[in-house]
Amino acid sequence: MERLVVRSYLYPAFISHTSETLTFTDQFAFRPTGSTTAALIWILYTIAQLLSQHDYVIVLARDFGKAFYSVRHSTLFDKLARLYIPDHVYNWLAEYFQGHSHCTKYENNTSALADISASIIHGSAIGPASYVVHASDLVSITAGNSLCKYADERMSLYPLQFRAPLNWIISRPGPTTITFISIALNV
């Protein structure tokens, strides 16, 4: 059932979606013409274009794999509500994410069950597509910078007219909206 929901409803919504707040055009996974090859071609093309106008281009690759565990269900469903999917599919997804809990066992002690309200099930068919929806509002907010998404990977391209140390780029405020969407980085 998961695969049917993803292939029949979510993937088509990624392609046909037109919203000012959610963007899937820079996502190269989960599209009929999307692939790692297409993403690499776009990245190399964009680097070449930026280098024709700037002296340097910094490419910052980030893996958001652990972010699967920090996605708030309320935020995810706010974004899912903006997609063109039928109500019964939205309701099925809401029910799918409800009722999960976990406990911790250490030596002979086991904690009480705790409800899970912030996680995407890694390894499920719904998981990667849900993460793509959650990260769809991650965009570059500085003119001239570019962002390439492939599932839970992000490649940020920063054109520069002068050479800058990497810590200046990473600590410089404003290149992306990472801090606004509550995602943990694998650092």
Side-chain angles (χ1 to χ4, degrees):
M1 183 65 162
E2 289 180 51
R3 290 188 198 284
L4 177 68
V5 168
V6 171
R7 288 185 180 152
S8 299
Y9 298 102
L10 293 181
Y11 290 171
F14 297 167
I15 296 166
S16 64
H17 185 73
T18 55
S19 168
E20 293 179 15
T21 58
L22 304 179
T23 181
F24 299 97
T25 56
D26 55 0
Q27 174 61 253
F28 286 87
F30 315 115
R31 293 184 2 198
T33 58
S35 65
T36 52
T37 303
L40 288 172
I41 290 170
W42 183 89
I43 290 167
L44 293 173
Y45 174 79
T46 304
I47 290 170
Q49 289 297 108
L50 292 171
L51 285 174
S52 71
Q53 302 166 14
H54 303 279
D55 293 334
Y56 300 94
V57 174
I58 292 178
V59 179
L60 184 60
R62 290 166 291 195
D63 173 41
F64 285 80
K66 287 188 180 178
F68 273 74
Y69 307 112
S70 64
V71 173
R72 291 187 191 115
H73 294 168
S74 59
T75 304
L76 173 63
F77 281 93
D78 177 53
K79 294 173 186 179
L80 282 168
R82 292 184 248 163
L83 291 178
Y84 300 121
I85 57 175
D87 290 343
H88 70 277
V89 172
Y90 179 90
N91 293 337
W92 184 90
L93 287 165
E95 188 174 317
Y96 177 84
F97 279 94
Q98 289 179 353
H100 295 279
S101 59
H102 75 275
C103 66
T104 302
K105 184 174 184 176
Y106 180 72
E107 293 180 351
N108 291 330
N109 301 314
T110 303
S111 69
L113 287 175
D115 290 336
I116 297 174
S117 63
S119 180
I120 293 176
I121 300 169
H122 214 82
S124 68
I126 298 287
S130 297
Y131 181 76
V132 165
V133 171
H134 179 68
S136 62
D137 60 353
L138 179 65
V139 296
S140 177
I141 59 171
T142 303
N145 292 349
S146 299
L147 182 66
C148 174
K149 303 174 192 170
Y150 189 86
D152 61 353
E153 310 291 329
R154 301 292 174 268
M155 300 288 279
S156 299
L157 291 80
Y158 305 105
L160 297 173
Q161 285 304 109
F162 58 92
R163 189 170 179 192
L166 186 58
N167 63 348
W168 182 83
I169 296 299
I170 293 172
S171 63
R172 183 171 181 247
T176 61
T177 57
I178 292 170
T179 55
F180 300 124
I181 64 169
S182 179
I183 290 181
L185 290 171
N186 288 343
V187 183

